[in-house]
Amino acid sequence: MKLSLFATLTLATLTGAAHADDADKVREATKAETDAFNARIYAGAPGDKAYACFVRRYDAEHLARHPKQKVAAMKLLISAESDNEDKQLHNSFRFGFKYRHRPGDFDSSGSCGSHVLLQNHDGEVRLGCGVDCEGGGIEVALSKDDKSAIVRLVQIRVWQNNKPDDEAEQSLVAGADDKIFRLDRADTSECASLVTDRKELAALRHK
């Protein structure tokens, strides 16, 4: 099965030229595989709309063991909504974090489309999410017990304190200790700070 256009663009963004050979190890998941992954990430059949929240606050002991890690805290909200036109479930993401040695809150967001990617070499299923206009992105997998999200990134465009202007725009670039993050599943209220729309915020808090 050929990768969809979105999946191909997301893959190219995330792997980069140095990892071009990895493209041969990735395929678009089947509908059954996608449905199974969605049920895992949303802890049940998502219906017309669903949310999943994952959070990690790194303590002093962890940061001492990883002196090159730039990120001190991270939140990830994955959302699903059924599209009335194509009748498929479309995923999106909101991502927030704090730097270890810099003040302020940083965030990003984008689309994950309606399909997931499957890594052929180990059978791991990942959700490929991208930021518009070549803004990079993330891949999201799940731990075997579905209690944690495994977030991988190469580079992603972010904004400080939710300001989407050119002057505030920056990027989080993966370093020695900032390539893979394990975030724990949390109540959706933990990710409320990532939502700015009042109606969506109300829906989130009632989940």
Side-chain angles (χ1 to χ4, degrees), residues 26-159:
V26 178
R27 66 173 172 84
E28 185 177 337
T30 64
K31 185 179 186 304
E33 290 166 337
T34 296
D35 290 345
F37 183 80
N38 283 332
R40 290 177 61 201
I41 203 165
Y42 297 112
D48 291 334
K49 197 160 191 175
Y51 301 93
C53 174
F54 301 89
V55 176
R56 182 75 180 270
R57 298 175 181 88
Y58 294 97
D59 58 25
E61 182 180 351
H62 174 94
L63 294 175
R65 294 198 309 269
H66 299 85
K68 295 183 179 180
Q69 182 171 322
K70 295 175 286 188
V71 172
M74 183 177 289
K75 292 182 180 181
L76 174 68
L77 179 67
I78 301 292
S79 307
E81 186 168 5
S82 180
D83 187 282
N84 292 329
E85 294 185 4
D86 63 16
K87 306 301 180 183
Q88 294 192 68
L89 198 70
H90 289 259
N91 298 292
S92 60
F93 80 99
R94 293 181 179 88
F95 170 78
F97 71 98
K98 292 180 181 292
Y99 276 113
R100 183 175 184 175
H101 299 300
R102 294 174 60 184
D105 297 313
F106 294 79
D107 59 85
S108 188
S109 61
S111 173
C112 309
S114 58
H115 297 280
V116 299
L117 307 177
L118 193 145
Q119 305 291 120
N120 280 343
H121 62 286
D122 57 8
E124 183 181 55
V125 180
R126 301 178 185 177
L127 188 63
C129 303
V131 179
D132 289 343
C133 302
E134 300 182 355
I138 59 174
E139 288 182 343
V140 182
L142 290 171
S143 59
K144 291 183 179 180
D145 60 7
D146 297 342
K147 293 182 179 180
S148 301
I150 312 300
V151 179
R152 294 175 172 86
L153 68 86
V154 174
Q155 176 267 335
I156 185 170
R157 182 183 297 130
V158 301
W159 290 267

